[in-house]
Amino acid sequence: MKAIFGKLYELIAPAIRGWDHFWFTPMDPTTLATVRIFGALLAFYVHLCYSWDLFGYVGPEAWIDKDLALYVRNDLPVYRYGIDYLEGPVEFTHGNYFWSAYYHVWNPIGIIAVHTAILLSMLLFAAGLWTPYTGLASWMGAMCYVQRATSTVFGLDTMTMIVLLYVQFGPSGAVWSVDRWLLERNARRKGEPLAPVEPSVSANFAVRMLQFHFAFIYFASGTSKLLGTSWWSATAINLVMLNPAFAPIDWPAYYGMLKSLAENRWAWEFFMSFSIVGTLILEISFIFLVWDKRWCWLLVSAATMLHTGIGLIMGLSSFSLMMFVMLISFYPPEVIKTVVSSLMGRKPLMMVGS
Amino acid sequence: MTGKYFSSLVAFSLGLVIWLLSVLLNQTTSLPLIREMSLFAGAAFILVALVQRFQATNWSGTDRLSLAGYTSIATLAAIMLVYGGIPEQWGSARLLFGGAAILGLGATVLIVVPTVPRKILLSLWVIFHFGGMFTSFASIDPPGSQGPFLAKHLWTFVYRPYLSFFYLTNAYHFYSPDPGPPNLLWFAVHYSDGSYMWIKIPTREKGQIGMHYQRVLALPEHSFSQNPRMPFTRSQVAGLRADQYDENNIWENIYDRRIRGSGVRYSARGQYIPLVTDIDVNVQFREPNDTSKKLLAAVANRVLKQAPKREGLSVRSVKIYRVTHQMLTPYELSRGISPFVKQKYWPYFMGEFNTEGEMVNPMDPFLYWYLPIVKVPATYPNHAPRDPQSGLPVFAVNLPAVEPNFELDCLEMHAAGPAKETNR
């Protein structure tokens, strides 16, 4: 028996060590801070855009008006599938787990005040001032829109909520923040040495959550495409590139380029087929290969190219930018520091060992 | 460090006192604003205290116990608030504080236990968390089938509250199973003199913010979910009592109204809206589900309230059309056809709503039906093929247009309404 357990331990010990190393190794918070800065800035822009037609999104006479909003939140019947073989769908509860200040604040001044406070918290979070509080306020604030204006959300909002959630898990304001600058200033005034920022487990945990979630999104997106006939008949990319609501097909240059391609059937089919194969390989393999340093850069570069294409061809530039923010989580802190220091022409400040 | 210990203790005590005040105020309704403000002020003090205390900890055994004391008291206070301190109408706050209490409970356990059990607990949570993502992803029905039993029930009973709270419910089926054509919402706003004007969303107006365009583009998608089944047929309701179904919504009656609708002359061009022969009725008839019907009514309500004013006229009603913008084929593209030709728009009538938000005519023959915009021969309908039973003109919309022809815009005809002299 002892021998069996010993063998079993030999088998699983490397996996346990790997798991422990993956999730619980202390990490320099620079990567997380970079995600915070760009993620919060983008979230600020996204929510600033609500200012145009704010009441159309969250007011009492919005696209989903007060009565309907409260009905969806409190009374909408929710069905479950049958448990017995012959049982059909059964209504088992009602309402949704939605929470938002905009279910309770209906007067215009109140709405504007809440909106302004949320924007301010996002801006402060990007700057890294009172980071634990402004971070939480930013996440809760963003939630107020996605849980209330449910008829106008799209993929960008999903990604924004993911970024704002995970960035709370670690010390995102430990570097490159006003908080850090204030600590340094106080230390200087008192003539005390300021302890360097230590690598932390929570920074690593937050970054790993973000990385794994991103990889899972790719996996889900890639494998679900395998159910579609257009992905097998190599016509799916046509449907994306010729989509008149997203693609800039009203631009003569874009239309002309596609038309020239379509005039040569072989060129068209080669382009579309390779685009599909590339997309599927990238999305499905990402979650398996990105953890290997030999593949990481190739996959991250390919993902960057994919989202650049989505941004340019489909007009989803903000969505693509938020995906770039998520991709930052795959950049090691040393790389980010090197890039920043080369951009600034000097050694970066406020970092580990500086 | 001592300063942070002290300030966190003061803030924590203050927060608890304010919360206690909020619970007491909840017994009276005379000061609702103070009650609500005290709820959030107390939460702010306690949050500040916890962050300060957390930052000051040295993770020694006694210090961890002290920190756990803070989190457990805060958790208990949050639970008490959920069950007695937060007014009924502040449902969001109840949900938020409930979530915070669960989080506080988890945090207390993680603080108290040693490193290895802490890692094990966190690992179990990671598995649970991404298990939720997988459940969300797997519970979507594949085309023509049903999602897995286990995933559906895990979603319903375990993950729905958890993922909804964090807004992590997306299944990430982007562009799958197949990328579809975009949908638009077009509104024919009718005025008291019988005139009407079009409002179309979304539109690519110059100077418009891209984000606003993307959000409005999402509206036609989110405001329409098709009823998962076609209406019951007469044979399907044969065993039911009369009060268990609506006679008007039996499929045979719906289809009969549609056929009779093709016998009505419409004022625009004085033509008839033909029966379409080469598209399956499952595609031609798209009834929204009950929630979507409410959503469309709300959308109509907003359009009516925002509609441009006309001198001396009042807004009477709005007809909603959900328009699927079909995409070019590569062949059409190679021939230089514009993606914006009118035949590429497939409108479906979603109902006419009055200023009270009520549907004007639930018996409209074209309710939820496709209205073709096609090029028909110049001789139409004189030499058009006829339905053998009704004798009404029929048309195959996917056949190539013959020359000479004219555009039969059934959308415009329907928006304008029937001609005064009508039935054949």
Side-chain angles (χ1 to χ4, degrees):
Chain A
M1 189 61 103
K2 202 172 177 181
I4 294 171
F5 275 117
K7 199 74 186 166
L8 201 63
Y9 178 76
E10 269 179 41
L11 280 173
I12 61 168
I16 293 173
R17 277 196 295 273
W19 176 274
D20 184 54
H21 178 78
F22 184 84
W23 292 104
F24 303 113
T25 303
M27 185 194 203
D28 180 335
T30 303
T31 300
L32 190 62
T34 313
V35 172
R36 183 205 84 227
I37 293 167
F38 289 108
L41 277 176
L42 198 52
F44 171 75
Y45 166 72
V46 168
H47 291 83
L48 182 67
C49 291
Y50 275 110
S51 306
W52 283 263
D53 199 20
L54 179 63
F55 301 123
Y57 295 114
V58 296
E61 290 178 356
W63 291 112
I64 296 181
D65 61 22
K66 183 180 177 181
D67 290 344
L68 184 61
L70 294 176
Y71 166 78
V72 170
R73 186 177 183 278
N74 302 325
D75 302 314
L76 182 74
V78 178
Y79 294 86
R80 66 162 174 78
Y81 277 76
I83 291 174
D84 290 334
Y85 287 106
L86 298 179
E87 192 183 23
V90 178
E91 183 183 334
F92 88 108
T93 186
H94 54 86
N96 279 294
Y97 296 93
F98 291 165
W99 53 279
S100 163
Y102 296 120
Y103 281 113
H104 310 283
V105 179
W106 297 107
N107 71 76
I109 294 171
I111 288 172
I112 291 169
V114 171
H115 180 61
T116 309
I118 290 169
L119 288 178
L120 187 65
S121 68
M122 286 171 177
L123 210 51
L124 294 179
F125 185 50
L129 181 62
W130 308 317
T131 318
Y133 316 109
T134 51
L136 191 61
S138 299
W139 174 70
M140 285 166 55
M143 193 69 81
C144 289
Y145 298 85
V146 294
Q147 303 264 33
R148 167 66 180 89
T150 51
S151 64
T152 47
V153 291
F154 62 110
L156 167 67
D157 300 294
T158 302
M159 302 308 158
T160 306
M161 294 315 300
I162 291 169
V163 169
L164 288 178
L165 174 66
Y166 293 139
V167 88
Q168 315 295 325
F169 288 14
S172 67
V175 296
W176 292 349
S177 63
V178 177
D179 284 344
R180 181 68 185 171
W181 178 79
L182 288 171
L183 278 177
E184 287 188 341
R185 194 188 65 171
N186 289 344
R188 264 200 312 274
R189 278 184 182 169
K190 290 177 184 169
E192 293 170 353
L194 182 65
V197 177
E198 296 293 338
S200 81
V201 172
S202 60
N204 177 67
F205 190 76
V207 166
R208 291 301 196 189
M209 290 296 285
L210 196 52
Q211 288 177 341
F212 194 80
H213 205 129
F214 182 92
F216 181 79
I217 289 170
Y218 263 38
F219 175 75
S221 182
T223 49
S224 58
K225 286 183 176 77
L226 297 177
L227 291 167
T229 51
S230 66
W231 293 95
W232 289 101
S233 62
T235 54
I237 301 290
N238 307 3
L239 303 176
V240 174
M241 295 188 75
L242 292 171
N243 187 317
F246 288 101
I249 206 157
D250 50 339
W251 294 5
Y254 181 81
Y255 182 84
M257 184 193 74
L258 284 184
K259 184 173 177 290
S260 306
L261 197 61
E263 282 165 352
N264 185 329
R265 178 81 191 260
W266 282 100
W268 178 269
E269 296 295 344
F270 265 110
F271 180 81
M272 296 302 164
S273 301
F274 279 103
S275 301
I276 284 177
V277 171
T279 304
L280 291 177
I281 288 176
L282 172 65
E283 290 192 340
I284 296 170
S285 68
F286 194 93
I287 197 167
F288 301 107
L289 298 178
V290 75
W291 319 113
D292 185 329
K293 281 181 183 170
R294 289 167 298 180
W295 286 98
C296 181
W297 290 109
L298 180 67
L299 290 168
V300 170
S301 305
T304 306
M305 282 166 61
L306 175 72
H307 290 292
T308 305
I310 289 173
L312 292 175
I313 293 170
M314 304 193 62
L316 295 168
S317 49
S318 308
F319 171 79
S320 291
L321 287 173
M322 196 53 89
M323 296 305 274
F324 291 154
V325 170
M326 293 177 87
L327 275 170
I328 290 173
S329 66
F330 289 96
Y331 285 72
E334 304 75 39
V335 173
I336 295 175
K337 286 177 190 175
T338 308
V339 170
V340 172
S341 60
S342 67
L343 285 174
M344 295 171 76
R346 62 184 170 86
K347 193 182 175 192
L349 298 171
M350 300 184 286
M351 286 188 231
V352 179
S354 63
Chain B
M1 199 65 84
T2 319
K4 277 204 170 182
Y5 274 108
F6 182 70
S7 60
S8 65
L9 187 63
V10 171
F12 195 73
S13 310
L14 259 174
L16 287 178
V17 168
I18 295 172
W19 268 4
L20 189 64
L21 184 73
S22 146
V23 173
L24 293 175
L25 283 171
N26 196 31
Q27 310 305 318
T28 68
T29 51
S30 55
L31 299 165
L33 188 64
I34 295 176
R35 181 185 61 194
E36 284 145 14
M37 294 301 285
S38 64
L39 185 70
F40 293 106
F45 273 110
I46 286 179
L47 180 67
V48 169
L50 288 176
V51 170
Q52 295 260 318
R53 184 64 189 79
F54 192 81
Q55 286 173 342
T57 191
N58 60 20
W59 296 104
S60 68
T62 48
D63 198 50
R64 286 214 321 263
L65 280 178
S66 160
L67 182 59
Y70 274 75
T71 53
S72 55
I73 292 170
T75 303
L76 274 175
I79 292 169
M80 282 171 64
L81 279 177
V82 169
Y83 287 101
I86 303 174
E88 188 84 29
Q89 64 272 26
W90 277 84
S92 293
R94 277 191 170 194
L95 208 54
L96 184 60
F97 279 79
I102 293 170
L103 190 69
L105 198 65
T108 306
V109 173
L110 286 176
I111 289 164
V112 169
V113 298
T115 308
V116 173
R118 187 185 305 144
K119 284 183 178 179
I120 291 171
L121 287 173
L122 273 172
S123 300
L124 290 174
W125 175 75
V126 166
I127 292 166
F128 172 80
H129 181 76
F130 285 108
M133 307 296 126
F134 189 81
T135 304
S136 192
F137 152 69
S139 59
I140 301 288
D141 294 333
S145 184
Q146 220 176 56
F149 177 92
L150 287 179
K152 283 202 173 290
H153 285 90
L154 264 177
W155 165 253
T156 304
F157 294 114
V158 180
Y159 281 117
R160 196 175 82 92
Y162 175 76
L163 296 179
S164 298
F165 182 84
F166 289 106
Y167 194 72
L168 296 173
T169 49
N170 199 306
Y172 310 122
H173 286 229
F174 296 129
Y175 299 103
S176 59
D178 294 298
N183 291 291
L184 318 164
L185 282 175
W186 290 0
F187 307 92
V189 178
H190 285 254
Y191 292 87
S192 49
D193 66 342
S195 65
Y196 67 98
M197 71 170 294
W198 284 105
I199 294 176
K200 298 180 179 182
I201 59 167
T203 51
R204 289 182 192 259
E205 291 164 13
K206 278 190 177 157
Q208 182 184 235
I209 299 168
M211 183 73 66
H212 184 68
Y213 172 81
Q214 295 292 346
R215 292 213 177 280
V216 177
L217 183 60
L219 186 64
E221 300 298 338
H222 291 305
S223 59
F224 181 89
S225 291
Q226 192 167 345
N227 216 341
R229 55 165 180 74
M230 288 292 277
F232 287 126
T233 59
R234 189 161 294 287
S235 61
Q236 285 173 316
V237 300
L240 299 177
R241 291 193 315 269
D243 61 338
Q244 289 178 310
Y245 64 92
D246 183 354
E247 178 67 24
N248 290 320
N249 289 334
I250 289 175
W251 174 244
E252 283 84 350
N253 289 338
I254 292 171
Y255 195 64
D256 183 55
R257 284 200 295 273
R258 171 65 186 85
I259 289 174
R260 281 190 280 116
S262 283
V264 176
R265 192 185 290 274
Y266 278 78
S267 51
R269 297 200 72 117
Q271 289 285 0
Y272 303 96
I273 296 175
L275 293 165
V276 176
T277 55
D278 60 343
I279 300 176
D280 195 286
V281 285
N282 293 323
V283 178
Q284 287 193 59
F285 182 78
R286 287 186 177 172
E287 184 183 9
N289 66 20
D290 289 346
T291 308
S292 296
K293 285 176 185 171
K294 289 183 195 306
L295 275 163
L296 287 165
V299 167
N301 203 25
R302 178 163 173 79
V303 170
L304 283 169
K305 285 180 175 149
Q306 301 285 319
K309 303 281 178 282
R310 283 185 171 176
E311 190 72 35
L313 300 176
S314 59
V315 174
R316 195 188 68 203
S317 66
V318 60
K319 288 181 176 176
I320 303 186
Y321 302 90
R322 185 170 189 266
V323 181
T324 303
H325 192 166
Q326 302 292 354
M327 289 178 267
L328 289 179
T329 63
Y331 170 71
E332 288 170 330
L333 178 67
S334 70
R335 298 286 304 274
I337 294 172
S338 165
F340 302 104
V341 292
K342 284 180 92 175
Q343 293 79 41
K344 284 286 168 192
Y345 295 95
W346 286 29
Y348 290 78
F349 178 51
M350 291 289 130
E352 180 177 8
F353 295 86
N354 62 20
T355 50
E356 304 299 311
E358 295 157 346
M359 193 178 278
V360 172
N361 180 14
M363 296 294 112
D364 189 298
F366 296 98
L367 187 62
Y368 311 133
W369 283 91
Y370 162 58
L371 295 162
I373 303 174
V374 283
K375 290 209 164 155
V376 294
T379 55
Y380 180 89
N382 294 338
H383 300 294
R386 303 268 159 177
D387 176 51
Q389 286 181 337
S390 62
L392 295 168
V394 297
F395 197 78
V397 297
N398 289 317
L399 289 179
V402 292
E403 297 290 344
N405 58 43
F406 71 90
E407 192 171 72
L408 187 70
D409 186 344
C410 298
L411 170 68
E412 204 70 56
M413 287 159 58
H414 186 268
K420 291 285 186 272
E421 44 80 41
T422 54
N423 293 343
R424 285 150 48 90

